Amino acid sequence: MHKTGFYTHPSCRKHEMGVGHPECPERLDAIHDWLLATGVLDALEQHQAPQAPLADLELAHSRMHIASLRGLTDGLRDEMAAGGPCYVQIDPDTSLNIHTWDAALHAAGAALAATDAVIAGELENAFCAVRPPGHHACRDKAMGFCFFNNVAVAARYALERHGLERVAIVDFDVHHGNGTEDIVAGDPRILMASFFQHPFYPYGGAQSDAANLLNVPLPAYSKGDAVRTVVERDWLPRLHAFAPQMIFISAGFDAHRDDELGQMGLVEADYAWITRQLKAVAQRHAQGRIVSCLEGGYQLDALARSVEAHVRVLADV
Ligand SMILES: [Zn+2]
């Protein structure tokens, strides 16, 4: 059994935040079309993502946060019916449209379904091509293009619903996963490892003192060699010592050198290399179990090629 799942849902395309917004539906088209064109999609087991049950979202979010997003969606529906605007602004970069609620439930649901299949042994690992992304979503707050923290919800789900005792969350997005940190800091069952451009949006992460966080700031213009040093010097020893029973990846590809939302210099080969390191950790401690969820990545060609590199390693093709 060495199958890799590919989870997505059509509703993830319908959420959008206005013309010209970088976190756009075309990101998923670029990934899908490129995986199809390169033949990689044929090697994956494709699944339609279900919606996450609200009770599972509560593993990482307050009931108030969930109710607030649902209430904003209901209010928007009423306003639109009365000829009002099509978006509700959450922060300067983040807004919801009438499809955001469903898309966010399917994005988190993809991570949960992938977790079920991987723990059941039906898949070795899985990639969730979903949006909205999740790693800036805090326990009580949507921000930075994110509404529900897909990876944090799934990590807690693996612990609470499947009885795992230790899981790792690894985040290679160019931005610090402040939402994930907000949710998991101080939870000794979860080790969070990341690198991130610093100082940079969302302007935190460098002074985290919780024992289960290993978030390594890197200056702008850092390239693959700097990142590989962090992985070998910092991440791998901690990951091996922690011996996670499953690894969740916040797979953002905006540290790519062509991505204009970040100023780092990774290339496709770096994403393949990082994925190989994580896969080796998973094979040693976690029966190979990895669930990877799309986060950032905004230059469409670089995004598609980087996802290809990442998924090729996961699927061994
Ligand atoms: Zn990002």
Side-chain angles (χ1 to χ4, degrees):
M1 195 291 304
H2 291 291
K3 286 188 290 190
T4 294
F6 182 85
Y7 288 78
T8 189
H9 190 276
S11 74
C12 293
R13 280 198 88 274
K14 293 185 179 169
H15 156 66
E16 50 84 25
M17 297 185 281
V19 176
H21 197 293
E23 206 291 277
C24 59
E26 289 76 14
R27 299 176 63 228
L28 295 185
D29 298 338
I31 291 169
H32 182 269
D33 292 354
W34 185 247
L35 293 181
L36 191 64
T38 53
V40 173
L41 203 57
D42 290 336
L44 310 178
E45 191 173 292
Q46 296 186 56
H47 290 272
Q48 186 113 312
Q51 291 197 342
L54 301 189
D56 291 332
L57 296 179
E58 287 180 20
L59 295 169
H61 294 287
S62 64
R63 198 167 287 181
M64 183 95 97
H65 171 63
I66 300 165
S68 147
L69 288 181
R70 183 182 232 174
L72 289 172
T73 303
D74 291 341
L76 178 63
R77 189 174 295 112
D78 295 343
E79 278 195 43
M80 286 174 69
C86 302
Y87 302 98
V88 180
Q89 203 75 28
I90 303 274
D91 72 21
D93 307 314
T94 311
S95 54
L96 59 81
N97 76 353
I98 201 66
H99 301 290
T100 302
W101 171 257
D102 275 349
L105 291 183
H106 282 291
L112 296 179
T115 299
D116 284 336
V118 166
I119 291 178
E122 295 155 18
L123 299 170
E124 182 183 14
N125 55 42
F127 180 72
C128 301
V130 292
R131 49 184 297 281
H135 77 151
H136 296 306
C138 300
R139 178 174 163 75
D140 288 317
K141 187 167 76 167
M143 63 175 277
F145 314 168
C146 301
F147 298 86
F148 297 129
N149 196 312
N150 309 318
V151 158
V153 169
R156 280 269 168 75
Y157 177 84
L159 296 166
E160 300 289 343
R161 305 282 195 253
H162 286 287
L164 298 194
E165 294 169 345
R166 293 176 314 282
V167 302
I169 296 176
V170 177
D171 186 331
F172 56 69
D173 192 278
V174 77
H175 301 97
H176 171 237
N178 64 301
T180 309
E181 176 172 318
D182 177 61
I183 292 163
V184 311
D187 185 341
R189 304 168 300 171
I190 302 177
L191 173 65
M192 177 188 183
S194 78
F195 65 82
F196 58 97
Q197 181 179 325
H198 182 78
F200 196 44
Y201 182 90
Y203 303 104
Q207 281 89 37
S208 315
D209 51 8
N212 67 321
L213 304 177
L214 178 59
N215 297 327
V216 183
L218 286 172
Y221 309 109
S222 295
K223 296 196 176 74
D225 56 345
V227 164
R228 291 181 193 215
T229 297
V230 166
V231 172
E232 287 182 327
R233 183 194 64 202
D234 301 325
W235 285 11
L236 294 179
R238 277 293 290 277
L239 284 166
H240 283 300
F242 185 70
Q245 295 163 295
M246 184 156 178
I247 297 178
F248 294 88
I249 303 179
S250 268
F253 298 93
D254 42 8
H256 194 283
R257 69 177 175 197
D258 293 346
D259 200 296
E260 293 183 353
L261 262 70
Q263 286 83 42
M264 285 180 67
L266 297 197
V267 296
E268 292 85 322
D270 295 313
Y271 290 112
W273 183 87
I274 294 169
T275 310
R276 276 197 296 278
Q277 311 311 310
L278 298 177
K279 195 172 172 181
V281 173
Q283 285 172 337
R284 182 148 141 206
H285 301 287
Q287 301 167 46
R289 295 164 174 163
I290 294 175
V291 169
S292 174
C293 295
L294 181 65
E295 300 283 2
Y298 304 99
Q299 206 291 327
L300 298 184
D301 295 327
L303 170 64
R305 293 193 313 267
S306 300
V307 169
E308 180 205 354
H310 176 58
V311 171
R312 273 189 187 281
V313 174
L314 289 179
D316 209 12
V317 293

